[in-house]
Amino acid sequence: MAYQIRQSQINTLNQILKGQSDRTRSQIIYNAQELTSDLASMVNRWLVDGGTAEKNWRSDARNFIDRTAGVNEIWWIDNTLSVRWSETLESLHHIDIQSILEQPEMREKLRISRQDNLPEYSRVITTDEGYDIIFILMPIVFDDYFDGFFAIEIYIDGFIDRIVDDPLDTGFYTKAYAGDEVVYRNGPELTQHSYLEYFELNLDADTDGWLFKVYPTETIMTTILSPLPYVVFSGGFIIVVMLLLTLLSRYKAKQQSLQLSLEVKRREKIQDKLSYLANHDALTHLPNRHYITEYIEHYLADKTKAKKPFSLLFIDLDHFKDVNDTLGHAMGDRLLMKLPELFGQIFRKQDIIARMGGDEFIILLPGKTEEENIIALVGRFLKQLKYPIDIEGHQIRLTGSVGVAMYPRDGSTVNELLSNADAALYRAKDKGRNTYAIYDSVIEHKAQARLKLVNQLHEAQEQNRFEMFYQPRYDAQGHLLGTEALMRWRQEDCDYAQPKVFIELLEDTGLIVSVSWQLFSQSCQQFKTLMANHKNIVLSFNVSAKLLEHPEFLSRLKYILDEHKFPYDRLELELTEQTLIQDVENSQFILNQLTAWGINVAIDDFGTGYSSLSYLKNFPVHALKIDKSFIRDMNEDKDDLELIKTMILMGQNLNITTVAEGVETQAQLKQLIKMGCDQFQGYLFSHPTSFNDLKAGIDELSDIDFSALKSINSVD
Ligand code: C2E
Ligand code: CA
Ligand code: CA
């Protein structure tokens, strides 16, 4: 169609065309820049992550292709210029990249690209199938470390098509030439060359520029040029105004769609940023927990590769909380930000350093490493860490603890490896920090079992699963004198766990204090119900060192006794020599008070302690419980017999009652009586029993005929 056009209309049309061509130009430049910077950040990702797992690279590459219209294929060209890996969509065509790389012109591009560390664009290449493509080459360079190129192939038609909007929306076609060749066109052949604008675009310095031509669609020609009735009668001036209005409204519409596309861009950017954030720590810019776990997961899941070994260092800064507490969190953050640099001085490029959160880091060291090498490396790291770090004039010295686990030796899953490294770290901290520990399955299993047990003990306490069993004690005539309360842990299946399984942990965790008080109160209550018929029996209660050193020991004891109206002189506390001498002054003070109240004190496990016996004179002690290890062997072992004799004699001299515990046989009993031992306790008379059993059997237990007792085979 031909148009009759007046000069004023041509001017306006040209203005509109010019505007459209400028927009097209800047969109193409903007998109090309976005593309190269996207590519550059991909390079950075893989530089930082050296020792890349192919699978990770592939998924990154695949994402890149998916989000970039017109990009069909991406290659990692290694530094010998052969293809290391490539990732491709279902391609429209086949391209022999290797032969393209061989071309002298491409060689030159690769050289320049590497030299300038800048992306290079190839000239347009037409494939056998008739598609026009170009390559972008992105060098992978870090300092003087060169690891080849990323090459992407761009299908020009697809790429530009995404950038320039639909002619039906804009009212303009676009056509692009590389040299004489048309590489893009979204409209019919130009008929009216008078209505076009063109611009030239050079993507890089040594590639021929492309010529873009922009011309109007029929529709817009009609819109612009068909005069509206009142316009026709109103003369040229108004037509120009109307055309300008059209231009303006079109421009606004265009602006809106530009804004829309900017908004889309912005969202995409945010998306990219989010995926960066999802994989990196915002403070230190190190890969984060998510990243490192995924990385290891992918590595371990990759069945195609012979599994190369690697080591994991789990690092925790010692007392980092103190930095935060004394200097403030801002300074703490500044310090953390300095760590990547410090790590970089010790670890190699191919090692991955990730921040697990807080002051915890993971270093993945790829490759087989001897334990001694790791130890040396960790040693250097710990040493490096100790140099003062300057933060705003504050010289801060750090130390750290390191746990080491190795693949495949110490686990086959990411969870296993991390938790084993963590277990080793835990042990390093336990050793006093500023040191390392290498995972050792035997040691760590014990530690883990212990940890599990600690949790169970807490639970047991909450569920009142600790109970007292009672074991009777007799005088030489077979009269019941009292019972010793011995702790048991009731299991789910109603079996009872013995103290040797848990008492040490209760002590270590300090749980013994609250459990003891709970059970003491219960014992007092239970025992009172027996005392109605057996007024003189004594309750013996074992007191651990932790309980004795508790500042509220005396007041708490008194409170509970009073609460139950429990007569003081019906209570005996059993303490070991070790407990008493831990803090002699405190023990003396407490024992004096107990004696003043009429509470008896017995030395438990007597004879096993190494302490001098002279302390017996200083402590007001009522009874000695000769340790059952002496009783066990007394009939076979002369030394033990002698020792027992001595202990009994000493008791007589100091006017202290002697008690034999662990009596199992008639022979032992007879011998002990003969030697003058005062009191007896053991399986020969009764095993420790639950309170209900004790209560039910107490009449039978209260007076027994020694001669009728049957010896038992030692169960120790
Ligand atoms: P212990 O105070 O020396 O308690 C005597 C232990 O000897 C008890 O072991 C008792 O069951 C056992 N026994 C009694 N007669 C015989 C016998 O004829 N032969 C043998 N082989 N053993 C006999 P149990 O109940 O397993 O308690 C072990 C240790 O756990 C106690 O040794 C005590 O140190 C501690 N313990 C038990 N209950 C408590 C408690 O409530 N508080 C504290 N702090 N420690 C407790
Ligand atoms: Ca005892
Ligand atoms: Ca004992």
Side-chain angles (χ1 to χ4, degrees):
M1 194 198 289
Y3 300 94
Q4 288 305 122
I5 299 176
R6 274 179 289 173
Q7 190 54 46
S8 59
Q9 289 176 315
I10 289 178
N11 290 344
T12 311
L13 186 61
N14 280 341
Q15 281 180 38
I16 297 171
L17 277 170
K18 177 97 180 62
Q20 179 61 27
S21 118
D22 283 351
R23 270 192 296 282
T24 308
R25 183 169 188 276
S26 54
Q27 277 168 4
I28 290 173
I29 292 174
Y30 176 75
N31 276 276
Q33 280 171 354
E34 285 276 285
L35 183 65
T36 47
S37 72
D38 197 358
L39 203 53
S41 52
M42 193 166 157
V43 165
N44 282 335
R45 275 199 293 283
W46 294 110
L47 263 180
V48 171
D49 298 345
T52 301
E54 181 177 345
K55 182 147 188 174
N56 292 2
W57 181 81
R58 285 194 180 281
S59 86
D60 199 7
R62 172 56 58 133
N63 276 337
F64 182 87
I65 295 175
D66 286 347
R67 69 174 173 265
T68 323
V71 174
N72 298 324
E73 187 148 7
I74 176 160
W75 296 267
W76 187 328
I77 314 285
D78 69 17
N79 47 21
T80 66
L81 300 190
S82 38
V83 175
R84 179 181 294 169
W85 298 324
S86 76
E87 192 60 31
T88 175
L89 279 187
E90 238 168 78
S91 195
L92 300 166
H93 52 265
H94 175 73
I95 196 92
D96 179 5
I97 182 84
Q98 207 65 58
S99 72
I100 289 174
L101 292 172
E102 302 295 324
Q103 292 169 6
E105 192 187 350
M106 277 303 260
R107 287 269 143 144
E108 181 60 8
K109 292 256 177 212
L110 289 162
R111 192 190 63 75
I112 296 172
S113 170
R114 182 183 169 185
Q115 169 197 301
D116 299 348
N117 193 9
L118 283 174
E120 282 285 323
Y121 295 76
S122 77
R123 64 173 175 83
V124 175
I125 295 169
T126 307
T127 66
D128 294 343
E129 296 86 350
Y131 297 106
D132 293 322
I133 58 175
I134 58 163
F135 292 93
I136 298 183
L137 304 164
M138 182 62 77
I140 307 170
V141 176
F142 181 71
D143 291 339
D144 19 80
Y145 174 71
F146 170 63
D147 202 12
F149 298 90
F150 285 151
I152 56 171
E153 178 219 278
I154 299 175
Y155 164 48
I156 298 174
D157 212 25
F159 183 64
I160 301 181
D161 225 38
R162 241 291 301 270
I163 297 172
V164 299
D165 296 323
D166 188 341
L168 291 178
D169 297 336
T170 61
F172 299 94
Y173 298 120
T174 308
K175 186 173 179 180
Y177 299 77
D180 290 339
E181 207 184 328
V182 177
V183 291
Y184 177 81
R185 184 173 69 209
N186 63 3
E189 279 302 321
L190 283 178
T191 47
Q192 296 276 347
H193 281 270
S194 39
Y195 315 132
L196 72 85
E197 249 316 297
Y198 59 88
F199 61 90
E200 231 187 288
L201 200 71
N202 260 347
L203 288 175
D204 69 4
D206 45 291
T207 306
D208 291 334
W210 293 6
L211 193 68
F212 284 84
K213 294 185 172 175
V214 176
Y215 56 101
T217 64
E218 311 271 313
T219 327
I220 199 159
M221 282 296 273
T222 321
T223 319
I224 294 173
L225 302 173
S226 66
L228 298 165
Y230 60 95
V231 173
V232 173
F233 299 116
S234 313
F237 173 69
I238 297 238
I239 290 174
V240 173
V241 171
M242 283 311 294
L243 284 172
L244 283 174
L245 282 178
T246 312
L247 168 73
L248 208 64
S249 69
R250 290 230 157 258
Y251 181 71
K252 272 197 175 152
K254 183 66 207 161
Q255 278 291 91
Q256 266 167 15
S257 72
L258 192 73
Q259 254 154 27
L260 202 69
S261 86
L262 283 177
E263 175 64 16
V264 172
K265 274 265 128 50
R266 200 178 66 84
R267 294 230 179 114
E268 282 171 359
K269 274 222 170 109
I270 289 175
Q271 208 51 51
D272 281 359
K273 193 161 179 196
L274 282 181
S275 88
Y276 181 86
L277 284 180
N279 284 305
H280 290 79
D281 162 50
L283 186 67
T284 59
H285 293 283
L286 291 171
N288 60 12
R289 174 192 292 269
H290 176 254
Y291 178 92
I292 190 82
T293 48
E294 291 241 310
Y295 180 94
I296 299 173
E297 234 161 53
H298 281 301
Y299 184 90
L300 297 177
D302 193 344
K303 298 245 173 355
T304 62
K305 281 202 292 185
K307 301 270 169 51
K308 293 212 192 85
F310 62 85
S311 314
L312 287 180
L313 311 187
F314 207 137
I315 298 175
D316 189 303
L317 302 177
D318 299 333
H319 309 297
F320 187 75
K321 200 177 155 288
D322 294 351
V323 176
N324 278 336
D325 289 351
T326 53
L327 299 174
H329 281 262
M331 294 287 262
D333 284 356
R334 305 270 302 265
L335 189 58
L336 287 172
M337 283 157 79
K338 290 225 169 181
L339 290 177
E341 189 190 323
L342 191 144
F343 289 142
Q345 287 164 357
I346 297 291
F347 300 105
R348 306 159 300 177
K349 277 211 181 72
Q350 61 264 40
D351 302 334
I352 302 181
I353 302 161
R355 180 174 176 216
M356 296 300 270
D359 56 348
E360 287 181 354
F361 299 85
I362 284 279
I363 318 267
L364 186 150
L365 310 166
K368 181 167 166 49
T369 326
E370 302 300 328
E371 226 174 80
E372 57 197 273
N373 295 346
I374 297 259
I375 292 172
L377 181 71
V378 170
R380 259 187 292 145
F381 168 72
L382 291 175
K383 197 167 158 201
Q384 179 81 14
L385 201 57
K386 279 194 273 186
Y387 288 117
I389 302 173
D390 183 287
I391 307 278
E392 287 184 356
H394 295 272
Q395 302 293 313
I396 301 173
R397 280 166 200 274
L398 286 174
T399 60
S401 303
V402 184
V404 183
M406 295 179 195
Y407 173 81
R409 193 190 73 185
D410 300 333
S412 55
T413 67
V414 63
N415 281 342
E416 225 178 321
L417 287 163
L418 284 177
S419 81
N420 288 347
D422 193 23
L425 169 64
Y426 190 84
R427 188 153 49 85
K429 288 194 212 167
D430 219 39
K431 284 202 270 181
R433 295 166 202 266
N434 186 25
T435 187
Y436 65 90
I438 292 180
Y439 179 76
D440 179 321
S441 60
V442 177
I443 300 178
E444 254 71 58
H445 271 122
K446 267 193 209 150
Q448 243 152 24
R450 190 184 141 101
L451 209 63
K452 193 173 154 204
L453 194 55
V454 169
N455 287 333
Q456 291 174 332
L457 291 178
H458 278 278
E459 216 176 82
Q461 192 199 6
E462 279 160 25
Q463 299 171 354
N464 292 326
R465 292 188 160 275
F466 293 109
E467 271 179 32
M468 282 304 192
F469 271 36
Y470 298 92
Q471 188 181 37
R473 185 158 118 196
Y474 295 95
D475 66 13
Q477 284 74 48
H479 298 306
L480 177 69
L481 297 169
T483 67
E484 177 180 2
L486 294 160
M487 203 185 292
R488 296 291 179 268
W489 172 14
R490 186 165 29 85
Q491 306 291 293
E492 302 286 339
D493 56 9
C494 285
D495 258 6
Y496 286 93
Q498 305 287 320
K500 65 166 181 271
V501 179
F502 60 87
I503 207 97
E504 201 184 314
L505 256 195
L506 282 184
E507 306 248 0
D508 290 355
T509 53
L511 262 177
I512 188 74
V513 175
S514 52
V515 173
S516 288
W517 287 131
Q518 195 184 345
L519 288 181
F520 180 61
S521 173
Q522 200 186 69
S523 300
C524 289
Q525 190 197 5
Q526 291 177 335
F527 216 75
K528 281 259 334 214
T529 66
L530 298 180
M531 277 161 37
N533 294 326
H534 305 270
K535 287 207 159 41
N536 297 324
I537 55 171
V538 171
L539 169 64
S540 295
F541 191 85
N542 293 286
V543 173
S544 94
K546 280 266 161 61
L547 196 64
L548 190 74
E549 74 196 16
H550 207 260
E552 284 162 32
F553 175 75
L554 284 170
S555 58
R556 194 72 182 264
L557 187 81
K558 187 171 188 306
Y559 178 85
I560 293 173
L561 288 172
D562 293 347
E563 189 182 36
H564 294 288
K565 302 202 169 61
F566 195 98
Y568 290 11
D569 60 353
R570 301 293 92 178
L571 177 67
E572 176 185 70
L573 298 180
E574 298 190 6
L575 298 122
T576 64
E577 296 167 83
Q578 283 96 322
T579 298
L580 285 174
I581 60 160
Q582 237 160 57
D583 180 348
V584 175
E585 243 170 79
N586 186 46
S587 299
Q588 224 152 16
F589 174 79
I590 288 177
L591 261 54
N592 286 334
Q593 181 60 68
L594 292 174
T595 310
W597 283 340
I599 295 171
N600 291 333
V601 173
I603 310 276
D604 207 352
D605 303 346
F606 189 69
T608 58
Y610 41 83
S611 52
S612 78
L613 296 175
S614 63
Y615 71 94
L616 280 178
K617 280 184 262 163
N618 301 328
F619 291 130
V621 171
H622 166 261
L624 300 178
K625 294 189 82 174
I626 301 170
D627 190 69
K628 59 178 175 286
S629 61
F630 299 103
I631 311 295
R632 188 183 56 208
D633 302 331
M634 60 184 280
N635 291 328
E636 289 85 43
D637 190 327
K638 279 238 151 53
D639 293 344
D640 279 349
L641 196 66
E642 279 311 309
L643 281 166
I644 294 173
K645 259 188 207 157
T646 312
M647 288 188 259
I648 293 174
L649 211 63
M650 189 168 59
Q652 287 166 350
N653 285 340
L654 294 167
N655 202 17
I656 299 175
T657 305
T658 45
V659 184
E661 61 171 23
V663 181
E664 294 182 356
T665 66
Q666 281 285 3
Q668 291 165 347
L669 179 61
K670 279 195 186 119
Q671 183 73 33
L672 286 162
I673 293 176
K674 202 173 113 191
M675 289 190 289
C677 186
D678 303 309
Q679 301 179 1
F680 313 91
Q681 187 181 337
Y683 295 166
L684 181 63
F685 318 99
S686 169
H687 280 261
T689 59
S690 71
F691 176 71
N692 286 338
D693 287 350
L694 174 70
K695 192 169 177 172
I698 187 137
D699 288 331
E700 275 169 55
L701 288 170
S702 56
D703 269 304
I704 53 176
D705 176 6
F706 280 175
S707 59
L709 295 172
K710 271 213 196 91
S711 302
I712 60 144
N713 293 322
S714 178
V715 286
D716 212 14

